[in-house]
Amino acid sequence: MSAVTCLLSEDHFLCPICLDVFTAPVTIPCGHTFCKNCITQNWRINRKCKCPVCKKLFDIITELHVNIFISEMAAQFRQSTAKQTSEVSKPGEVPCDVCTGIKLKALKSCLVCLASYCEAHLERHHTVSGLKRHKLIDPLDNLEGRMCPKHNEVMELFCRTDQVCVCQLCNKSEHEGHRVVPLREEWEGRKTELGKAEGKLEQMILERQLKIQQLKQTAKLSKDAADKETADGARVFSALRQVVETSLAEVTEHIKQKQKAAEEQAEDFIKELDHEISKLRKRKSEVKQLVHSDDHLHLLQSFSSLSTFPPTKDWSKASLRQPSYEGVAARAVAQLKDTLSKGMEKLLEAELKRVQRYAVDLTLDPDTAHPKLILSDDGKQVNHSDVEKNLPDNPERFSYCVIVLSKQSFSCGRFYYEVEVKGKTKWDLGVASVSANRKGQITSSPEAGYWTLQLRNGKEYVALTDPDVVLSVKQRPQKVGVFVDYEEGLVCFFDVDTADLIYSFTGCSFTDKLHPFFSPCFNDNGDNSAPLRISAVNQTDCISHL
């Protein structure tokens, strides 16, 4: 029938009286067709049965019957025209429940049929007497969900006592005496709350976008540092290319691995932040759509699920750790020191200058000092005395080993300090975990929380590991520099005067605060009476030609 309809113009379906598309068309004996109501009213007014078109008179016609064929044709035409002129349902709009294929925008919803209708499908509610009595309202989604399941009435109220939507009958029965308000009143309050939530979500998104920018900037600084380090190493090794090809490749690869790890960490953070932003944007979109909706019930029913924020990570303390490159080139050159002594001296001196940038100001903590230790008034010097002072045996104090800690402790980052050891035949230096044992005899090892370099008999230098490592030095250090990279798990000891790397503890796993520690050892009847002294770091300019 639609193929036939498309061949007919609008004039074929217009009533000559009302000039509108036929509604309940009837054909009178002369063959002309009119709306049933139009011709009936015309004859009633004129008091005779006369065709308004051809003026032919008829005997009284007792009953007019609807022309079913023309009625269906008119309905088809009306529906076709409505589809051409009606708007297609857009996201957020209520679609027609009857339309198949493309859904048109609903004009009304019927509380009896529990369905929504576009202009064309709404026609029967205007023409069929039984449907005319149905209650039509502005279009709403999910009509069945808006009806009280108990009383089959529209839920127009909200019970604040029970936090549920109710109908008028519910209010008069099981919710009598409760705090019941109109749905719109509750909707306005919740809508305000969701508006605040939308603003908070936007703020969270902006914070994460800012964090991404910070991470990218940190990653760039890390890359710049890596590029500079690689370039410095390349300039040093280029003059010794014949003998250091393998070492240069190892140094460069090590730096690249560190940089790659930093970039991967940044990418992981950024990917996680982008994922959170995606979730927050999705929630924001849902909240925004709900905020701009006039659908009271839908807002209240969706409020609980959308008023809470999706799970996110606290990014306020998140940061991208720049990898440490200190010691990389130095350790590589140390392995080739027999053939690269000149290049090694240059590189080690530059390395020492780099770590000296992390110099910290330390003072000795008298509450940790063994009773036979004497501390200077400025807290920078310690030596051993045969006389034991009467001091309280507090938990922080060493009771057997002649050790004292610094007041300062470190749980992140990098730090460096220097200690004068001139004139001594014995000493212990290093860092100790805050939780390491301080009472009784102590086994100094990384497993016990001590990373220690010691001198014995005036010439034997030992790194206390398991097993201990006896070290070879060019000359007796007069000043020892100690560098620690907490995150990298690195503890390095330098001869400050020669810039030699004496020893490095690598791959350490630090979990507690670290305290620098100092042991002048026993004075041995004056043979080892010289003190240990924390000295100021001479931070001269780095060598410019490296």
Side-chain angles (χ1 to χ4, degrees):
M1 183 176 293
S2 59
V4 176
T5 303
C6 68
L7 299 176
L8 300 176
S9 67
E10 184 178 6
D11 294 339
H12 293 91
F13 300 99
L14 296 182
C15 172
I17 298 176
C18 65
L19 300 180
D20 199 356
V21 179
F22 289 125
T23 300
V26 295
T27 303
I28 60 177
C30 66
H32 291 107
T33 304
F34 306 89
C35 295
K36 184 177 181 180
N37 185 59
C38 291
I39 193 63
T40 302
Q41 292 294 331
N42 181 275
W43 287 350
R44 182 180 297 113
I45 294 172
N46 294 324
R47 297 183 181 180
K48 53 185 175 181
C49 299
K50 180 180 179 181
C51 176
V53 176
C54 65
K55 309 303 181 182
K56 186 174 182 179
L57 290 171
F58 309 104
D59 296 333
I60 295 176
I61 299 176
T62 57
E63 187 174 0
L64 294 174
H65 297 281
V66 175
N67 188 320
I68 297 176
F69 177 75
I70 296 179
S71 177
E72 291 178 353
M73 289 285 288
Q76 287 285 337
F77 179 80
R78 185 181 291 107
Q79 183 174 344
S80 175
T81 303
K83 286 186 176 180
Q84 295 175 11
T85 59
S86 300
E87 295 182 17
V88 176
S89 176
K90 300 176 183 177
E93 294 179 340
V94 180
C96 175
D97 292 324
V98 182
C99 287
T100 58
I102 298 177
K103 295 281 189 178
L104 298 182
K105 177 181 177 182
L107 296 182
K108 293 290 182 179
S109 294
C110 178
L111 294 180
V112 178
C113 301
L114 296 181
S116 300
Y117 302 101
C118 64
E119 181 180 358
H121 292 118
L122 188 64
E123 180 64 25
R124 287 176 53 81
H125 278 75
H126 295 314
T127 59
V128 179
S129 58
L131 298 179
K132 289 181 179 180
R133 294 190 294 270
H134 289 190
K135 184 176 181 181
L136 298 177
I137 60 173
D138 289 336
L140 292 174
D141 249 340
N142 187 26
L143 286 172
E144 291 185 3
R146 302 173 186 280
M147 306 300 291
C148 175
K150 185 173 182 179
H151 302 108
N152 200 30
E153 292 283 339
V154 179
M155 293 185 289
E156 299 176 336
L157 303 173
F158 184 80
C159 178
R160 289 179 174 173
T161 303
D162 295 333
Q163 293 292 300
V164 293
C165 299
V166 297
C167 68
Q168 291 288 356
L169 294 178
C170 290
N171 184 34
K172 296 178 181 178
S173 54
E174 56 263 35
H175 292 274
E176 185 177 4
H178 290 185
R179 291 187 301 129
V180 178
V181 297
L183 209 61
R184 181 178 182 83
E185 181 178 334
E186 188 67 17
W187 166 79
E188 290 175 346
R190 297 294 179 90
K191 187 174 182 179
T192 300
E193 290 184 35
L194 287 176
K196 295 178 181 178
E198 180 186 6
K200 180 62 176 178
L201 288 167
E202 177 63 24
Q203 180 183 351
M204 294 173 69
I205 291 172
L206 291 176
E207 289 173 353
R208 279 150 182 79
Q209 290 175 332
L210 178 61
K211 178 60 71 173
I212 287 178
Q213 295 177 358
Q214 293 172 347
L215 289 171
K216 287 181 177 179
Q217 179 63 21
T218 305
K220 182 180 182 302
L221 293 175
S222 175
K223 187 177 185 305
D224 292 343
D227 293 341
K228 182 180 182 301
E229 188 72 17
T230 301
D232 289 344
R235 282 195 296 270
V236 172
F237 281 101
S238 62
L240 307 166
R241 189 163 39 209
Q242 298 300 319
V243 290
V244 299
E245 284 287 339
T246 302
S247 296
L248 178 58
E250 292 175 352
V251 169
T252 304
E253 180 62 22
H254 194 56
I255 292 174
K256 287 181 178 179
Q257 288 178 358
K258 288 177 177 290
Q259 172 57 24
K260 182 179 178 181
E263 289 181 342
E264 288 177 350
Q265 183 186 23
E267 290 172 0
D268 290 342
F269 279 168
I270 292 171
K271 184 182 295 183
E272 190 174 355
L273 282 162
D274 280 332
H275 179 65
E276 288 193 8
I277 289 174
S278 178
K279 292 193 299 183
L280 291 169
R281 279 178 172 159
K282 180 180 178 182
R283 179 58 57 84
K284 177 189 172 184
S285 176
E286 294 171 346
V287 170
K288 185 174 182 179
Q289 182 177 339
L290 195 59
V291 167
H292 291 88
S293 171
D294 292 332
D295 186 344
H296 305 173
L297 182 65
H298 181 55
L299 185 146
L300 295 175
Q301 290 180 331
S302 304
F303 178 82
S304 297
S305 60
L306 295 182
S307 61
T308 58
F309 299 147
T312 55
K313 180 179 178 180
D314 180 7
W315 290 96
S316 60
K317 297 181 181 179
S319 62
L320 185 66
R321 178 178 62 83
Q322 292 196 42
S324 170
Y325 302 103
E326 285 75 18
V328 176
R331 291 192 298 276
V333 173
Q335 295 174 0
L336 301 171
K337 63 181 180 179
D338 292 338
T339 56
L340 304 175
S341 57
K342 185 177 180 179
M344 179 178 175
E345 289 174 2
K346 290 182 179 180
L347 190 58
L348 287 176
E349 185 173 355
E351 186 71 17
L352 180 60
K353 298 302 180 185
R354 280 193 287 268
V355 300
Q356 284 178 334
R357 293 179 300 179
Y358 300 100
V360 294
D361 185 20
L362 300 180
T363 53
L364 302 174
D365 184 0
D367 291 337
T368 65
H370 185 277
K372 286 189 176 182
L373 293 180
I374 300 175
L375 274 59
S376 62
D377 292 339
D378 62 1
K380 299 293 185 180
Q381 180 174 300
V382 58
N383 58 351
H384 176 260
S385 169
D386 292 327
V387 178
E388 183 171 334
K389 296 190 290 292
N390 184 19
L391 298 174
D393 186 20
N394 52 288
E396 295 81 13
R397 191 178 307 282
F398 287 87
S399 63
Y400 183 84
C401 296
V402 286
I403 296 176
V404 60
L405 302 181
S406 69
K407 291 181 179 179
Q408 294 75 22
S409 63
F410 305 88
S411 58
C412 63
R414 305 158 191 164
F415 62 94
Y416 173 84
Y417 60 95
E418 295 178 352
V419 184
E420 292 182 10
V421 296
K422 183 178 181 180
K424 296 195 66 60
T425 60
K426 297 179 181 178
W427 49 257
D428 287 6
L429 292 173
V431 292
S433 170
V434 68
S435 60
N437 178 38
R438 305 183 190 184
K439 303 298 182 182
Q441 189 167 0
I442 295 172
T443 300
S444 187
S445 68
E447 290 74 20
Y450 289 89
W451 291 265
T452 308
L453 179 69
Q454 74 172 203
L455 168 65
R456 292 293 183 267
N457 303 320
K459 59 181 180 180
E460 187 177 88
Y461 293 88
V462 181
L464 301 185
T465 62
D466 189 13
D468 294 343
V469 178
V470 179
L471 306 171
S472 175
V473 298
K474 291 181 180 179
Q475 62 185 41
R476 291 180 59 181
Q478 304 299 299
K479 184 182 293 185
V480 175
V482 183
F483 171 74
V484 178
D485 187 326
Y486 192 97
E487 285 78 14
E488 195 70 17
L490 180 67
V491 181
C492 298
F493 296 87
F494 292 88
D495 182 338
V496 175
D497 296 325
T498 64
D500 283 335
L501 177 65
I502 302 173
Y503 186 77
S504 291
F505 290 91
T506 60
C508 308
S509 179
F510 302 129
T511 56
D512 292 331
K513 292 180 179 179
L514 297 179
H515 284 270
F517 78 86
F518 311 82
S519 175
C521 297
F522 298 122
N523 61 29
D524 291 341
N525 297 319
D527 291 340
N528 188 39
S529 60
L532 290 178
R533 179 167 183 80
I534 302 171
S535 62
V537 177
N538 182 19
Q539 300 186 52
T540 57
D541 294 336
C542 295
I543 298 177
S544 59
H545 62 273
L546 287 181

